[in-house]
Structure formats: C-alpha cells, structure tokens
C-alpha cells in the first residue's frame, strides 16, 4: 500500500476535473483509484482504475492476471487485457470519459450523482466490477479518508449553474434538477438553495 496522503494529492485534481467534464463524483473517483491500484502512486502502466482494454479506446494494452466474481461469491483468476496510459492524468481522464461514453452508467444514474453513497451503489449496479462488495469498499474508503470533502468543495460550491444548465433545455427533467438541488442543500445544511433557482435561471437566460 502506498502513501495515502501522497496518493490523494496525486489524484484529487484530476478527480475534480472529472466531475466538471463528465459528472463523475470526485470522492468516488479517488476511492476507485485507491481500491483498484492499492494506493499505488506509480502503478503499472499508469493504470489506476483497472479499465479493461476495448477496441477503439485509443490506448495501448497490457496483459495481467486479475480476479472476477461471476456468481456473487466465488472469485476466479483470469488473464485479461487492460488499458495502459502514458501518464496518471491520462488514466484519470479516461476514467471519466469511459463512464460518460458507456450508456449503462448514465442509465443507472452514476453521472452527476452528488451523493457518494448513491454514486458508489449505482456504479456497482451498472457493472463496473464483479466484486459483490465493491460499493461497500468504496464507501468505506471515502468515509475513512474523508474524501467527501472534495465533493463539498468542488461539486456543491462551484457547480450550481452547471446543474441547472444541464436540465434547463429539457423541461421534462425539471423534477430531477430540483431533486439534485435538494440533495445539495441537505449535504451542507439549510441554505435555502431552492430560493436561488429563479436567479440562476435568469442569469442563464441572459447568457444565451
């Protein structure tokens, strides 16, 4: 296991950018990188997330032994191809790009989910890993290392407008937008965030 503080500092900026670019929660990104790499600051081929190589991904591949749990209880050893990267930043970028490009993650609500527990549960449901305890492990890593602080700093305080922009052009999704804002309010206390909604919408309309 690598140095935890060093590892978090190595990954957190890219994880925050992953939220802004793709809607992947920073705390979950950091936790996945930690779990998949064993907190290793210099992982083999800069591969932090254990993303399996696929045709058209744009990256080189390497073959390595891994474990999968196909029946929900028994792990088996297999060899498979995984994506190899030129840098850690490439690995973090591809993680967000991969999740955003695969329809199953959007369908399961992984993208733009601001509650880390829900995000972890949803990414397991979407099939990111076969480990039946994958979400629990991610949540444990987040809470033990207080990784949710990066969600509060970057997701909540920076991205009100981007959340509204995401849904403003699709009236049928207003309820989800409101639910998102309520979730933000609940995570940082009583800020009456919904009172800001008309102001945000007016600002957005003026910028179009």
């Amino acid at each position: 296991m690598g140095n935890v503080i060093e590892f978090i500092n190595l990954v957190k900026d890219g994880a925050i950018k992953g939220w802004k670019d793709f809607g992947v929660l920073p705390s979950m990104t950091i936790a996945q990188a930690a779990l998949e790499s064993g907190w290793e600051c210099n992982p083999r081929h800069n591969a932090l997330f254990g993303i399996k190589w696929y045709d058209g991904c744009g990256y080189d591949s390497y073959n390595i032994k891994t474990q999968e749990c196909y029946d929900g209880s028994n792990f088996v050893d297999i060899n498979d191809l995984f994506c190899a990267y030129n840098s850690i930043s490439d690995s973090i970028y591809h993680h967000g790009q991969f999740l955003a490009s695969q329809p199953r993650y959007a369908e399961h609500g992984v993208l733009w989910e601001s509650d880390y527990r829900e995000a972890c549960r949803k990414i397991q449901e979407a099939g990111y890993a076969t480990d039946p305890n994958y979400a629990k492990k991610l949540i444990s890593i987040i809470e033990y290392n207080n990784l949710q602080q990066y969600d509060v700093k970057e997701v909540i305080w920076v991205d009100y407008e981007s959340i509204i922009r995401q849904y403003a052009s699709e009236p049928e999704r207003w309820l989800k937008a409101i639910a998102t804002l309520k979730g933000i309010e609940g995570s940082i206390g009583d800020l009456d965030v919904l009172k800001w909604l008309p102001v945000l919408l007016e600002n957005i309309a003026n910028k179009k």
Side-chain angles (χ1 to χ4, degrees):
M1 182 173 176
N3 182 288
V4 171
I5 295 176
E6 182 182 355
F7 183 89
I8 292 172
N9 288 334
L10 178 69
V11 176
K12 65 180 178 65
D13 289 344
I16 289 166
K17 190 175 187 300
W19 168 265
K20 296 175 180 178
D21 290 345
F22 303 111
V24 182
L25 201 62
S27 62
M28 184 178 69
T29 296
I30 299 169
Q32 283 191 281
L35 180 60
E36 298 286 350
S37 72
W39 298 92
E40 177 55 63
C41 291
N42 295 291
R44 185 176 184 183
H45 301 288
N46 295 303
L48 287 171
F49 298 95
I51 297 176
K52 291 179 180 177
W53 186 88
Y54 55 96
D55 190 31
C57 69
Y59 296 95
D60 291 334
S61 67
Y62 69 99
N63 188 289
I64 194 171
K65 182 182 290 185
T66 187
Q67 288 190 321
E68 299 289 354
C69 180
Y70 298 115
D71 63 0
S73 57
N74 298 299
F75 285 85
V76 295
D77 293 330
I78 67 166
N79 279 81
D80 214 334
L81 292 177
F82 290 83
C83 292
Y85 306 94
N86 292 325
S87 66
I88 291 293
S89 60
D90 282 348
S91 180
I92 300 171
Y93 177 83
H94 185 229
H95 173 257
Q97 182 188 52
F98 171 74
L99 295 181
S101 68
Q102 303 296 311
R104 69 181 186 270
Y105 295 108
E107 291 167 0
H108 281 81
V110 175
L111 306 181
W112 305 109
E113 174 56 68
S114 60
D115 182 317
Y116 68 86
R117 295 181 185 87
E118 283 297 297
C120 294
R121 180 183 62 79
K122 289 174 179 179
I123 203 168
Q124 178 174 331
E125 288 180 349
Y128 188 93
T130 58
D131 183 348
N133 295 310
Y134 192 70
K136 291 180 180 179
K137 291 177 180 178
L138 294 180
I139 292 169
S140 177
I141 291 171
I142 291 170
E143 294 180 343
Y144 186 81
N145 296 282
N146 192 31
L147 300 181
Q148 63 269 35
Q149 67 179 294
Y150 301 108
D151 302 338
V152 172
K153 288 175 63 176
E154 300 300 329
V155 175
I156 293 173
W157 292 111
V158 175
D159 284 329
Y160 287 113
E161 185 169 323
S162 67
I163 291 170
I164 299 301
R165 278 184 181 277
Q166 182 186 3
Y167 299 112
S169 62
E170 304 175 56
E172 70 276 8
R173 301 180 73 182
W174 276 107
L175 289 178
K176 184 170 182 179
I178 292 172
T180 301
L181 288 170
K182 285 182 177 179
I184 290 173
E185 180 184 24
S187 65
I188 57 176
D190 183 12
L191 295 180
D192 293 326
V193 68
L194 290 180
K195 294 179 181 178
W196 304 351
L197 184 57
V199 177
L200 288 170
L201 291 175
E202 183 178 355
N203 288 341
I204 291 166
N206 291 336
K207 291 179 182 179
K208 289 183 178 180

